Amino acid sequence: MPDPLDDSELAGDGDFLASFGETLLQTLDIGRWANGLDVEDILRVFREQVGGSMRKEDVLRAAVRKELLPLLKTGPHAPKGAGVYHATEAQLRAVHDGYLFRGNVEAVNGRAVSHDTLALGITQLGIAAVGYGGSSGTFSQRLFRKEVTFQMDDPFKQAREYIEQREIRSRKAPRNKDSLSRLATRGIRTYAERAILAERLQSEWRIGSGNPLAYELVTGSGYRTLLDASLEMLANLIDRQQKFVFVTDKLEHRGFLTLGHSLDTGEYAILETLESYGQEILDGWRYDDEGLVKATRFVRRYCPQVVMGLYRASNNSPPRLFFAHQEHVHFAVRIAMADSILRPEQGYPMLLDVASMTCHSVFGEDGFHGLVQDAYAQADPSLQYLNVRKLRR
């Protein structure tokens, strides 16, 4: 399994041709590019491409529904209870009345914002926990990375070392994000979301975002301390909490999502446990000897207990991947679906979006950068170390 933190992989020319219908050389031929912006022509091309793609997907959907969905029960990685099910309106209404609107379900979501200059790097991590009874709390941490120390016994030597250190880090850091920044914004945030969900909430059911056994946690992102803390925390989540459901809105597992598009409103499918996912991590990540032993023990024990599936809250919304404990999977997906049908055009748990909006309100970029700029202005009116210009993406 490729490291999702490493965005340096490039596809070959053949992949480019297969994906875009023209060679890379043709794309690079500036003579074939349009002059100016012809809105009518762009709209025509967009409509042709979108319409054609949708018609092909409809044909594929029909074939998948007829031929492949029935095979889920007997697939090579099919867990106990694999197959397609339907959640009735009465079942989802019972979840609304007995759990969601009584505040017996809470969701956790987080965000990270960063500021980076030569003088200082600041990362702010914010996590929000919410239920329909109100906010359960917000949690935050701020990390300050500074390279220059005040103990300069040999200023000339240390100045050279700082220059070399910064240059090496810049060359190794794709898109201006080195491993320490990625650890802070991905690994620690992902850990904190799950730790708060498992250890700080009081509700019977909890909703999280993404895969509960996130790649950056099962690998430790290269940091042994994060690996040890993550495996212990995730073991607690699976052993003691159990009543959780995680939902992702990303285009991950596109093959499974293709299966999901063949589901009708209210249907859900139980696909497989995370055993093969865990094994791919063990085969692909370079652990040290002790870390490999710990990760292997964790994967063997806990990955078979977590099930991955799909649900479709509405025919007007895309399917969603979900993850739940095998002992509670049917009720878990009803929790997710009941929260998702509150906005049938989205088909995604509204509590997760409420948590995300709470994070944006409390820990948003504008407020964060405003505080940073104020601190720089107080320390140095010239603002020579403050780079306020946004990089192009």
Side-chain angles (χ1 to χ4, degrees):
M1 172 178 288
D3 181 358
L5 300 180
D6 180 8
D7 54 8
S8 62
E9 282 195 11
L10 298 176
D13 286 358
D15 289 335
F16 190 94
L17 174 61
S19 296
F20 296 104
E22 64 181 29
T23 66
L24 180 56
L25 184 61
Q26 288 175 310
T27 301
L28 296 177
D29 181 2
I30 302 301
R32 299 176 67 246
W33 288 38
N35 290 319
L37 189 66
D38 187 337
V39 176
E40 290 187 3
D41 186 60
I42 292 173
L43 283 174
R44 178 187 59 79
V45 172
F46 278 13
R47 288 167 181 166
E48 289 177 357
Q49 294 293 332
V50 170
S53 296
M54 295 303 98
R55 287 189 291 273
K56 291 178 182 177
E57 289 293 332
D58 286 342
V59 173
L60 177 61
R61 179 184 187 275
V64 169
R65 184 168 182 83
K66 179 180 178 181
E67 304 292 341
L68 296 184
L69 286 187
L71 301 179
L72 290 179
K73 293 182 179 180
T74 58
H77 303 291
K80 179 181 67 175
V84 178
Y85 301 85
H86 184 267
T88 67
E89 289 186 18
Q91 289 172 331
L92 299 182
R93 194 180 309 115
V95 172
H96 285 151
D97 297 339
Y99 290 86
L100 279 170
F101 300 147
R102 287 180 178 268
N104 291 331
V105 182
E106 292 175 293
V108 167
N109 214 332
R111 67 183 285 118
V113 292
S114 296
H115 159 82
D116 197 21
T117 66
L118 281 175
L120 181 67
I122 306 174
T123 297
Q124 175 177 271
L125 305 164
I127 311 293
V130 302
Y132 287 118
S135 174
S136 299
T138 55
F139 309 84
S140 63
Q141 175 67 283
R142 289 158 194 87
L143 303 175
F144 300 88
R145 190 182 73 196
K146 43 194 179 293
E147 298 162 348
V148 177
T149 65
F150 292 101
Q151 293 76 31
M152 290 192 176
D153 300 326
D154 186 342
F156 176 73
K157 178 182 177 182
Q158 288 192 266
R160 289 188 59 180
E161 290 176 351
Y162 287 134
I163 292 172
E164 292 174 359
Q165 176 183 341
R166 287 172 170 175
E167 184 62 21
I168 291 173
R169 177 174 293 161
S170 297
R171 292 182 180 184
K172 289 184 177 181
R175 299 186 184 180
N176 296 323
K177 291 185 178 180
D178 61 26
S179 60
L180 290 175
S181 297
R182 293 186 302 191
L183 169 70
T185 58
R186 292 281 299 271
I188 297 176
R189 183 192 67 189
T190 303
Y191 171 86
E193 287 178 353
R194 285 147 182 76
I196 289 169
L197 182 146
E199 301 166 6
R200 300 296 293 272
L201 303 188
Q202 301 301 317
S203 59
E204 182 178 355
W205 279 88
R206 293 98 190 269
I207 302 179
S209 177
N211 185 334
L213 309 186
Y215 187 92
E216 52 265 40
L217 300 186
V218 180
T219 63
S221 301
Y223 292 84
R224 183 59 177 281
T225 299
L226 179 61
L227 175 66
D228 291 345
S230 297
L231 298 185
E232 180 180 356
M233 177 271 296
L234 292 173
N236 177 48
L237 174 67
I238 298 171
D239 271 340
R240 297 177 58 188
Q241 174 54 36
Q242 293 193 1
K243 293 184 178 181
F244 60 82
V245 59
F246 281 70
V247 182
T248 179
D249 62 347
K250 294 182 171 58
L251 281 175
E252 299 172 336
H253 299 285
R254 291 179 182 231
F256 288 150
L257 289 176
T258 303
L259 286 173
H261 268 286
S262 67
L263 298 174
D264 282 334
T265 296
E267 288 184 336
Y268 63 93
I270 298 175
L271 300 174
E272 61 180 48
T273 69
L274 295 187
E275 290 177 84
S276 60
Y277 163 80
Q279 188 59 50
E280 289 177 13
I281 294 178
L282 295 178
D283 293 341
W285 185 261
R286 289 176 292 184
Y287 295 93
D288 60 32
D289 291 341
E290 187 177 354
L292 179 59
V293 170
K294 291 184 176 182
T296 301
R297 187 185 305 125
F298 176 87
V299 165
R300 297 285 185 268
R301 178 173 177 179
Y302 293 106
C303 283
Q305 298 184 49
V306 180
V307 172
M308 177 170 60
L310 294 154
Y311 71 84
R312 191 86 179 269
S314 163
N315 281 340
N316 294 326
S317 63
R320 301 296 182 187
L321 274 170
F322 74 90
F323 303 84
H325 195 286
Q326 186 158 16
E327 294 299 317
H328 304 280
V329 60
H330 292 283
F331 200 83
V333 68
R334 290 174 198 164
I335 292 279
M337 292 178 72
D339 198 25
S340 298
I341 63 173
L342 297 176
R343 291 185 305 167
E345 75 284 358
Q346 296 288 334
Y348 185 73
M350 191 162 77
L351 274 177
L352 284 176
D353 278 341
V354 173
S356 178
M357 288 185 287
T358 302
C359 273
H360 180 78
S361 174
V362 178
F363 306 113
E365 289 192 31
D366 291 342
F368 169 74
H369 288 300
L371 293 173
V372 169
Q373 291 178 22
D374 177 76
Y376 272 87
Q378 294 296 323
D380 177 16
S382 73
L383 299 180
Q384 61 177 315
Y385 289 107
L386 178 62
N387 181 11
V388 295
R389 184 173 174 273
K390 290 187 177 181
L391 299 175
R392 83 173 176 176
R393 298 184 183 279

